[in-house]
């Protein structure tokens, strides 16, 4: 039948920044505001990508990490450090993650080694697509 020849529609989900300029001073990973997606897949891997614009205070570094279903799935990324009084930087990550059929939660977590990290305005996004 024709219905068997047509691949099912692939799902996707996207989160964009809504909270303007959220900050963190946490030295352990905490969820980044607004950076969470839930997708229901039929069993294919998911393609996860995120873009962040961050402002850091002097002498400190911000790192981020992707989590799927509450588990870190990628190396830390970002390492946005400030050598002057304040610096703006971009961080991005993209990877393919094998998952089982069903619902999956994807989140961006962030932390600093001191000082304050601020997400610039609402300039951040997280996209999750079934492969």
């Amino acid at each position: 039948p024709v219905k068997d020849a047509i691949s099912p529609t692939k799902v996707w989900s996207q989160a964009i920044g809504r909270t303007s300029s959220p900050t963190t001073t946490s030295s352990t990973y905490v969820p980044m505001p607004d950076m969470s997606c839930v997708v229901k897949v039929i069993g294919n891997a998911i393609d996860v990508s995120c873009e962040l614009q961050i402002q850091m205070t002097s002498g400190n570094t911000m790192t981020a990490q992707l989590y799927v279903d509450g588990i870190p799935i990628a190396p830390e990324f970002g390492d946005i450090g400030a050598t002057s009084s304040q610096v703006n930087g971009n961080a991005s990550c993209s990877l393919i993650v094998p998952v089982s059929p069903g619902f999956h939660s994807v989140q961006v977590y962030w932390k600093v080694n001191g000082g304050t990290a601020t997400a610039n305005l609402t300039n951040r996004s997280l996209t999750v697509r079934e492969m």
Side-chain angles (χ1 to χ4, degrees), residues 40-81:
K40 181 182 179 187
V41 298
I42 61 172
N44 298 313
I46 54 176
D47 180 6
V48 180
S49 61
C50 72
E51 299 281 336
L52 314 171
Q53 287 186 3
I54 304 294
Q55 185 179 84
M56 281 303 305
T57 56
S58 179
N60 299 299
T61 303
M62 184 285 310
T63 55
Q65 195 163 31
L66 294 173
Y67 281 60
V68 172
D69 299 329
I71 299 169
I73 58 160
E76 295 178 338
F77 66 96
D79 280 337
I80 297 172

Side-chain angles (χ1 to χ4, degrees), residues 1 3 13 24 33 39 44 54 63 90 95 97 112-113 116 118 127-128:
K3 71 178 181 85
S13 182
T24 188
V39 293
N44 298 313
I54 304 294
T63 55
N90 295 321
L95 66 140
V97 182
V112 293
N113 72 343
T116 302
T118 303
T127 304
V128 181

Side-chain angles (χ1 to χ4, degrees), residues 35-39 46 48 66-69 73 104-108 126 128:
M35 294 293 96
S36 177
C37 290
V38 174
V39 293
I46 54 176
V48 180
L66 294 173
Y67 281 60
V68 172
D69 299 329
I73 58 160
H104 298 281
S105 170
V106 180
Q107 293 179 284
V108 177
L126 170 65
V128 181

